[in-house]
Amino acid sequence: MPATYRDALRAALLYLLLSVVWLQISGYLLNSFFDSSAERLRWQLINGYVWVLFSAGLIFIARARLLRCLGIGAKLRERDADRMRLRQATAVFDCTREGVLVTNREGAIVHVNRAFMEITGYDGEEVLGERPNMFKSGRHPAQFYQAMFATLASAGEWSGEIWNRRKSGEIYPQWQTIRLIHDDDGQPSQYVAVFSDISAIKNSEHELMHLAHHDPLTDLPNRLLFSDRAEQALASAQVHKRGCALLMIDLDHFKMINDSLGHTIGDQLLKAVAGRLKGMFDPGITLARLGGDEFAVLAECCPQLVQAAALAQRIINGLKEPFAIDGHQLFINTSIGISLFPSDALSVEQLLRNADSALFKAKSTGRNDYALYTEELTAHAQQRVEIAFELRRALDQQELQVYYQPVHDLKTSRLMGVEALVRWQHPQRGLVSPAEFIPVAERTGLIAEIDAWVMAQACRQMCQWQQDGVVLSFVAVNISSRLFARRELYQQVAQVLHETGLEPACLELEVTESAVMDDPEVALEQMHRLRELGVRLAIDDFGTGYSSLLRLKRLPVQKLKIDQGFVAGLPWDEDDAAISRVIIALAQSMGMQVHAEGIEQVEQAAFLLEQGCDLGQGYWFGRPVPAGQLNWAHAPVIA
Ligand code: C2E
Ligand code: MG
Ligand code: MG
């Protein structure tokens, strides 16, 4: 190589080297003079785009213009950034979970991404060249698409919910954004649609709506939806001058099933009841579960009372067949309250309230029946609310008292025992009968406290009498059916006996026949446990329930109390006489004592004595009175 060339090359390399050093330094310097571009310039240099400088060096040599060289550097970097941006966009396009579809200006699909294929079920090749209307669900009218394209044309973008069809044929909701892309000349060139499958969101929205309006256990409409539908039905009935009936259904003694067999069985029973009810009705009837064991039925086109009553009877009969749940055969009775539109009430709320009052009447008059709403029921309902409110205070303020009614041996007229009967000395209303407040106490759950209190009082009083030298065989207390099914009863009785020190044989527990027969198996177990304590057991109001003789025989009971309803007609009413005779014979054959209550006349007592009844109780012997007023000396003699 000639020396001149070598020198020229050496000089060029030297320039190059110097320009690199100079540019590095000037980058820092320029940084202080140029605001935003200074920053860029610095990074460009430090990041080592040395090859840019190389060409800069050449220009530098040629024209000695440094800034020109920097301009070229910036251009090269932009192109690189474009490439990077493109790579990023491709990655996003491929990885995004949103489906992307690109069409050309003619509307033919030119590109789809992976998510598109996953959501729609189509492969890329299947859709390229096709038009997006191949995904149409048929759910939207033509106007929907016209409006969409109009927005796209005017605003360049459209977003909204749209139903499309997958390859499988399934239609599903999408949230879609379509954007119109223009070319450099400002002409529409492509449409890009980005969408997500919102069926999961829709489903959960739907589920939420369903949950808010349905009872999760039975899947029946809940109170909210029922009221809503009832409103609509009443509005339509008003227009068409039709009558409707609202029936409130309550399962008798359902709580006992829960208490004795557990909530799982209780839940299964409720489901089975709901299922059976559903099967009973035509589409014109709305059925709902209002809560607990309460169901409601709204029958449209039910103008007459007779039709509503027939429907109620159909429900009662339909639920009579036993339910087979988890190896148990469960029998349930039903009580129904009926209220009619428009004769009883004009609003859903009032209809519900009236039906509830009627239901209460059905329950308090023996259950397993229906009752119709009457106006005086409203007054009663009002009273019940007040009683429930005041009863708690009554317990706290010791307004309750225990009265005792004598029980005599019919043969000898001797006083044998007493029945403890609760009374409420109301500050304004005076003495309130238990018939009025016991059902309310049972509904509100206060009955447990009341019965426990009466039992403790009665046992204490019995101990007192014994200390005073009064000879009585027993003191009887009433046990509410609500309490009877509970396991705590045994504990409660044992505790009272322990605390008062009363001989267990002196305490008699009266349980009504219906409470026993509601669930004979549980009753049997409970009675055996109570018998182990040594207390006496009596079946109260016998003859009013539906005792199975076979079951009765197995019960460890010492006494049957003939309900006063059968005593009232004695001795002249033939039916009452026949029933009393049968009960006495039955009790004797099973080795039980017979006790007749409600004896008001000597003829009744005489008839019962003649039939072999052992014990008698009633106004003829003595009314219930406070302990201090019991008349020990007098014992009327049956002639
Ligand atoms: P029951 O256990 O069958 O009590 C007998 C009812 O008949 C008592 O009514 C008594 O006063 C009434 N009676 C007695 N002799 C005659 C008579 O000669 N003629 C008439 N017409 N009635 C007579 P009472 O005290 O009003 O009690 C009504 C029901 O309330 C009781 O029926 C019992 O089921 C319930 N009860 C009373 N006290 C309690 C209690 O402490 N706990 C529970 N759970 N229930 C109670
Ligand atoms: Mg009684
Ligand atoms: Mg009774």
Side-chain angles (χ1 to χ4, degrees):
M1 187 188 285
T4 47
Y5 282 111
R6 257 202 320 270
D7 287 348
L9 188 59
R10 210 178 286 140
L13 284 172
L14 184 66
Y15 271 126
L16 180 60
L17 190 67
L18 282 174
S19 63
V20 168
V21 173
W22 196 91
L23 273 173
Q24 290 281 359
I25 297 164
S26 67
Y28 286 110
L29 291 176
L30 281 170
N31 188 24
S32 353
F33 295 113
F34 302 125
D35 43 38
S36 61
S37 63
E39 177 85 345
R40 241 194 283 154
L41 182 63
R42 185 179 65 183
W43 281 110
Q44 175 193 338
L45 294 167
I46 286 172
N47 280 348
Y49 293 97
V50 182
W51 57 272
V52 172
L53 293 177
F54 180 74
S55 75
L58 290 175
I59 294 165
F60 187 76
I61 298 164
R63 301 203 184 168
R65 292 275 312 268
L66 172 65
L67 286 177
R68 183 101 173 112
C69 152
L70 287 173
I72 294 168
K75 235 179 179 175
L76 287 170
R77 185 181 176 273
E78 249 169 48
R79 224 188 285 160
D80 188 61
D82 282 349
R83 258 204 302 274
M84 186 57 107
R85 265 201 294 275
L86 204 60
R87 235 178 282 147
Q88 281 169 352
T90 312
V92 170
F93 186 76
D94 280 343
C95 301
T96 183
R97 295 177 65 191
E98 270 82 36
V100 180
L101 171 152
V102 184
T103 70
N104 58 19
R105 110 183 57 202
E106 286 75 35
I109 301 171
V110 293
H111 209 84
V112 292
N113 71 345
R114 204 183 314 156
F116 169 94
M117 298 185 235
E118 277 162 16
I119 296 173
T120 62
Y122 285 102
D123 275 343
E125 307 88 71
E126 290 177 285
V127 296
L128 291 181
E130 301 292 335
R131 290 177 178 277
N133 64 6
M134 69 182 284
F135 310 118
K136 260 189 178 177
S137 65
R139 217 179 150 135
H140 303 286
Q143 296 93 301
F144 173 85
Y145 296 100
Q146 281 160 12
M148 182 173 102
F149 284 112
T151 311
L152 260 175
S154 61
E157 186 173 305
W158 176 89
S159 298
E161 194 182 304
I162 184 166
W163 286 76
N164 272 338
R165 191 179 293 277
R166 298 188 217 270
K167 188 180 174 186
S168 63
E170 179 201 356
I171 64 166
Y172 67 107
Q174 295 178 343
W175 182 262
Q176 192 165 119
T177 301
I178 309 176
R179 186 173 282 183
L180 175 59
I181 311 287
H182 293 95
D183 60 16
D184 290 345
D185 304 327
Q187 292 304 310
S189 68
Q190 288 186 321
Y191 293 91
V192 176
V194 178
F195 61 91
S196 44
D197 179 351
I198 55 167
S199 35
I201 299 171
K202 279 263 158 199
N203 284 346
S204 53
E205 254 174 35
H206 186 256
E207 255 165 46
L208 277 178
M209 276 293 276
H210 190 85
L211 273 179
H213 291 98
H214 289 80
D215 160 46
L217 181 69
T218 59
D219 207 37
L220 287 178
N222 61 13
R223 189 180 279 270
L224 193 72
L225 183 56
F226 180 76
S227 300
D228 214 47
R229 290 201 182 155
E231 287 302 341
Q232 289 170 21
L234 294 198
S236 146
Q238 196 138 30
V239 172
H240 298 101
K241 307 226 172 325
R242 283 195 312 245
C244 299
L246 195 151
L247 281 72
M248 204 177 269
I249 307 166
D250 190 286
L251 310 182
D252 296 340
H253 307 303
F254 175 74
K255 196 178 171 304
M256 281 169 54
I257 291 179
N258 259 346
D259 288 348
S260 52
L261 299 177
H263 286 254
T264 315
I265 300 270
D267 283 357
Q268 285 182 45
L269 178 62
L270 285 174
K271 267 178 152 170
V273 168
R276 202 179 281 181
L277 284 172
K278 261 191 235 171
M280 279 183 211
F281 304 127
D282 312 326
I285 285 184
T286 304
L287 169 69
R289 181 177 172 219
L290 300 184
D293 58 349
E294 234 174 41
F295 296 84
V297 163
L298 182 87
E300 296 174 53
C301 300
C302 194
Q304 303 287 334
L305 202 68
V306 275
Q307 287 160 316
L311 181 63
Q313 196 56 59
R314 194 147 67 84
I315 296 171
I316 292 174
N317 294 344
L319 295 179
K320 260 203 183 109
E321 284 293 305
F323 289 86
I325 310 272
D326 206 17
H328 299 271
Q329 272 238 318
L330 302 178
F331 290 84
I332 48 157
N333 287 333
T334 319
S335 299
I336 299 177
I338 305 172
S339 177
L340 297 175
F341 170 88
S343 53
D344 295 337
L346 293 172
S347 72
V348 175
E349 201 185 320
Q350 192 59 46
L351 272 177
L352 278 166
R353 230 179 289 143
N354 292 355
D356 192 41
S357 300
L359 176 64
F360 189 81
K361 183 174 138 197
K363 287 224 170 261
S364 49
T365 52
R367 299 170 187 253
N368 198 27
D369 199 359
Y370 61 85
L372 308 169
Y373 169 77
T374 58
E375 257 175 35
E376 65 265 26
L377 283 177
T378 309
H380 281 139
Q382 186 74 29
Q383 221 172 30
R384 273 197 328 269
V385 173
E386 280 168 25
I387 289 177
F389 180 73
E390 290 180 329
L391 206 50
R392 167 119 299 282
R393 185 211 58 205
L395 260 169
D396 295 342
Q397 313 224 329
Q398 293 165 5
E399 289 172 15
L400 297 185
Q401 291 177 14
V402 183
Y403 276 36
Y404 297 91
Q405 186 174 28
V407 177
H408 288 261
D409 183 317
L410 289 179
K411 261 189 227 127
T412 62
S413 288
R414 261 186 59 205
L415 177 66
M416 300 302 292
V418 287
E419 178 176 3
L421 293 159
V422 69
R423 296 287 180 270
W424 181 4
Q425 189 62 52
H426 192 280
Q428 281 88 41
R429 289 205 249 157
L431 209 60
V432 184
S433 140
E436 229 178 295
F437 66 87
I438 291 286
V440 179
E442 285 183 334
R443 270 199 142 188
T444 54
L446 270 177
I447 191 68
E449 231 172 296
I450 294 178
D451 277 3
W453 180 81
V454 171
M455 196 191 300
Q457 291 288 309
C459 289
R460 238 172 258 133
Q461 185 58 60
M462 189 67 174
C463 290
Q464 186 61 52
W465 280 323
Q466 286 173 344
Q467 278 170 26
D468 297 346
V470 177
V471 183
L472 282 180
S473 306
F474 64 89
V475 62
V477 294
N478 293 281
I479 302 293
S480 157
S481 57
R482 299 258 168 168
L483 205 61
F484 184 61
R486 293 210 204 154
R487 304 210 174 267
E488 306 96 86
L489 179 63
Y490 170 87
Q491 203 66 42
Q492 205 170 311
V493 176
Q495 194 178 336
V496 168
L497 289 173
H498 176 75
E499 278 171 13
T500 58
L502 180 71
E503 179 78 29
C506 295
L507 177 63
E508 186 168 287
L509 303 181
E510 290 188 12
V511 190
T512 60
E513 185 189 7
S514 47
V516 174
M517 291 306 157
D518 266 347
D519 196 333
E521 290 311 312
V522 174
L524 187 67
E525 191 195 328
Q526 180 81 286
M527 285 183 151
H528 275 295
R529 296 190 73 207
L530 291 169
R531 273 301 291 153
E532 278 166 21
L533 280 175
V535 296
R536 294 155 57 110
L537 296 172
I539 295 191
D540 203 356
D541 304 341
F542 191 77
T544 56
Y546 300 90
S547 283
S548 135
L549 293 185
L550 203 67
R551 288 195 166 127
L552 192 64
K553 216 178 100 185
R554 289 164 60 205
L555 296 176
V557 167
Q558 286 74 58
K559 187 194 263 187
L560 292 188
K561 288 186 79 173
I562 306 176
D563 187 68
Q564 52 182 286
F566 304 116
V567 175
L570 296 180
W572 299 282
D573 185 292
E574 282 179 17
D575 290 341
D576 284 352
I579 291 168
S580 304
R581 258 191 230 112
V582 169
I583 296 175
I584 293 166
L586 184 73
Q588 284 171 343
S589 72
M590 290 194 283
M592 296 177 190
Q593 269 193 319
V594 207
H595 174 149
E597 55 185 354
I599 300 174
E600 295 184 355
Q601 296 162 20
V602 67
E603 290 86 353
Q604 292 168 330
F607 175 88
L608 289 160
L609 172 64
E610 199 184 310
Q611 299 307 316
C613 180
D614 305 296
L615 299 165
Q617 171 186 4
Y619 295 168
W620 188 69
F621 292 104
R623 287 180 180 257
V625 285
Q629 292 173 28
L630 269 173
N631 188 349
W632 308 116
H634 259 270
V637 178
I638 303 165

